Amino acid sequence: EYFTARYNFTKYIPLFGPWTVRINAELGYGQALGETTAVPPYKQFYGGGPESIRGYKESYMGPKDTYGRPYGGNVVVASQVELIIPLPVKFQSQARASLFYDLGNVFNTGEVDFLDKLGGPIFYKPDFDELKSSVGIAVQWLAPLGLFRFSYALPLNETPGNDRYYGDQIERFQFSIGQAF
């Protein structure tokens, strides 16, 4: 027995003329109930990638198992702020370009015990200092085959790995198909 709750928020704010800001936020929390020890792995939250924090490899943010693979967490915090760049009229119905700033991470509140590379305990508790951020440029193109999304991001505070801890997996250029235009 467990529960999960997720809140998604998106708002477009007109600035002046054709300039617009898009704000997107996602908050999620899950918790085991009764004798269940943890939210199941397939119901954990994952972060990173084109739908979350661009510049970080998709689903690789937050808790990792003993082999460095993403485990997911029971808490997710993610936000995106985009300045939508006006395009020439002939492209406006089929393309959108933006500059963005992303911020967030995935955490675990202690339901699962994690180990570092040397077998010592490692904690993924929610902490403001552990929020990862990136900046970059994104293009969305509504092609005849569907929506193609491209982004190039520069992570601002990635954690490098070492002989004890797994570092962040960086993926500056990302591509995805689908989602709302």
Side-chain angles (χ1 to χ4, degrees):
E1 297 177 343
Y2 63 91
F3 78 89
T4 60
R6 183 181 291 222
Y7 177 75
N8 291 305
F9 171 84
T10 301
K11 181 154 179 100
Y12 290 86
I13 302 169
L15 293 178
F16 51 90
W19 295 88
T20 304
V21 169
R22 175 183 170 264
I23 299 172
N24 187 55
E26 175 187 10
L27 300 171
Y29 179 76
Q31 183 174 334
L33 300 172
E35 294 182 21
T36 305
T37 57
V39 175
Y42 60 88
K43 286 294 187 176
Q44 298 281 356
F45 298 109
Y46 294 88
E51 305 292 323
S52 179
I53 312 303
R54 291 166 280 196
Y56 294 88
K57 190 171 181 179
E58 187 169 4
S59 300
Y60 270 75
M61 295 183 85
K64 294 173 182 56
D65 67 14
T66 44
Y67 301 104
R69 297 178 302 218
Y71 182 85
N74 68 323
V75 176
V76 64
V77 176
S79 66
Q80 300 171 327
V81 177
E82 292 185 85
L83 175 63
I84 299 173
I85 300 168
L87 295 176
V89 174
K90 78 180 212 176
F91 298 117
Q92 286 179 356
S93 65
Q94 58 191 358
R96 179 166 70 193
S98 62
L99 301 173
F100 64 83
Y101 174 77
D102 294 350
L103 177 73
N105 208 342
V106 176
F107 303 100
N108 184 282
T109 59
E111 290 187 324
V112 178
D113 294 327
F114 294 97
L115 303 175
D116 61 21
K117 292 178 183 178
L118 301 176
I122 186 169
F123 303 98
Y124 294 98
K125 301 272 187 205
D127 184 350
F128 184 77
D129 292 335
E130 292 298 319
L131 293 175
K132 304 296 180 177
S133 60
S134 65
V135 295
I137 187 164
V139 175
Q140 297 180 13
W141 173 43
L142 187 56
L145 297 174
L147 181 65
F148 291 83
R149 298 172 59 186
F150 307 89
S151 65
Y152 186 81
L154 297 171
L156 299 177
N157 59 342
E158 74 267 18
T159 302
N162 59 31
D163 61 341
R164 183 168 184 189
Y165 300 109
Y166 295 103
D168 292 325
Q169 298 286 326
I170 303 304
E171 194 173 74
R172 287 185 171 82
F173 177 76
Q174 295 175 323
F175 167 75
S176 65
I177 301 174
Q179 294 301 322
F181 184 68

